[in-house]
Amino acid sequence: MAHPSQLGFQDAASPVMEELLHFHDHALMIVFLISTLVLYIIIAMVSTKLTNKYILDSQEIEIVWTILPAVILFLIAFPSLRILYLMDEIGNPHLTVKAVGHQWYWSYEYTDYQDLSFDSYMVPTQDLSPGQFRLLETDHRMVVPMNSPIRVLITSDDVLHSWAVPALGVKTDAMPGRLNQTAFIVARPGVYYGQCSEICGANHSFMPIVVEAVPLVHFEEWSSLMLEDA
């Protein structure tokens, strides 16, 4: 959960998000080293009046500053491609949930069950209970079992939406007439918040996403209760 004045990312709740955080730190360190080197060169060039003919015209230096950027790009590209392939890997999901975007709420269908589906609306500010978050809480949460591969099929019923949960490292567009998919594994129990991340109209800011991860036993109890109420 993000908090005011937060400078970094939210704590990772899935293996993919942990990889994304590590890659961010890796790339940021490279950018920091490059920025430091360039700043030092600029200061040295401005503050000194001495010149060196071997620096002004040197084949060796030109070779170095041609090869070094290429090596740096490889150091960034290879980890990035690895994470991209990890994010596209679906494998053998234990549960499939279909998320459909509407103006302006989400509906969820648990396709492994016959009659388990519901709509998820934002809880109005005046109806919030103590401890609930404004503009982030919903009347029905998407409940999933922890430590299980979850596949989410994402589409839209009207305009473009985007199903995004930062702590899980998930952000997939919901497009009318198209079925996109993503997958994640929640590493620990908890409640994880997200929002529609594609401008979709007047109430774009009021269609939050809440994913609740629980142990498998509790998930089975929840699904049984939902099926009884259906």
Side-chain angles (χ1 to χ4, degrees), residues 154-223:
I154 301 168
T155 187
S156 172
D157 191 48
D158 36 49
V159 300
L160 289 177
H161 300 280
S162 184
W163 199 83
V165 183
L168 302 178
V170 174
K171 183 181 184 296
T172 304
D173 287 345
M175 306 170 64
R178 181 184 178 93
L179 197 64
N180 293 328
Q181 70 175 352
T182 186
F184 59 85
I185 300 174
V186 186
R188 58 178 182 271
V191 180
Y192 306 100
Y193 296 91
Q195 289 177 301
C196 176
S197 297
E198 188 74 43
I199 297 177
C200 56
N203 292 330
H204 159 68
S205 302
F206 307 110
M207 50 183 303
I209 301 160
V210 183
V211 177
E212 183 176 357
V214 297
L216 181 59
V217 175
H218 295 170
F219 173 77
E220 292 175 344
E221 295 174 355
W222 172 83
S223 61

Side-chain angles (χ1 to χ4, degrees), residues 107-172:
S107 61
Y108 297 100
E109 303 172 12
Y110 287 71
T111 58
D112 299 297
Y113 298 84
Q114 188 170 0
D115 293 312
L116 183 50
S117 61
F118 52 85
D119 296 331
S120 180
Y121 290 87
M122 185 194 76
V123 177
T125 303
Q126 63 271 17
D127 297 335
L128 288 174
S129 302
Q132 291 184 329
F133 299 102
R134 176 179 171 270
L135 302 182
L136 289 177
E137 195 60 60
T138 60
D139 57 353
H140 291 92
R141 295 172 173 174
M142 174 182 158
V143 181
V144 298
M146 57 176 287
N147 292 327
S148 298
I150 309 298
R151 176 174 59 181
V152 184
L153 304 176
I154 301 168
T155 187
S156 172
D157 191 48
D158 36 49
V159 300
L160 289 177
H161 300 280
S162 184
W163 199 83
V165 183
L168 302 178
V170 174
K171 183 181 184 296
T172 304

Side-chain angles (χ1 to χ4, degrees), residues 3-43:
H3 56 79
S5 303
Q6 179 174 332
L7 296 179
F9 291 97
Q10 298 183 28
D11 292 337
S14 69
V16 169
M17 189 59 191
E18 290 181 1
E19 293 289 339
L20 289 172
L21 291 179
H22 292 157
F23 175 71
H24 168 266
D25 296 339
H26 168 73
L28 192 64
M29 182 57 64
I30 293 176
V31 171
F32 176 75
L33 293 175
I34 293 174
S35 302
T36 303
L37 176 62
V38 172
L39 181 62
Y40 168 76
I41 294 174
I42 292 175
I43 294 175

Side-chain angles (χ1 to χ4, degrees), residues 57-71:
D57 185 16
S58 174
Q59 292 289 338
E60 291 78 6
I61 291 181
E62 291 183 6
I63 293 174
V64 169
W65 69 39
T66 301
I67 295 178
L68 189 59
V71 173

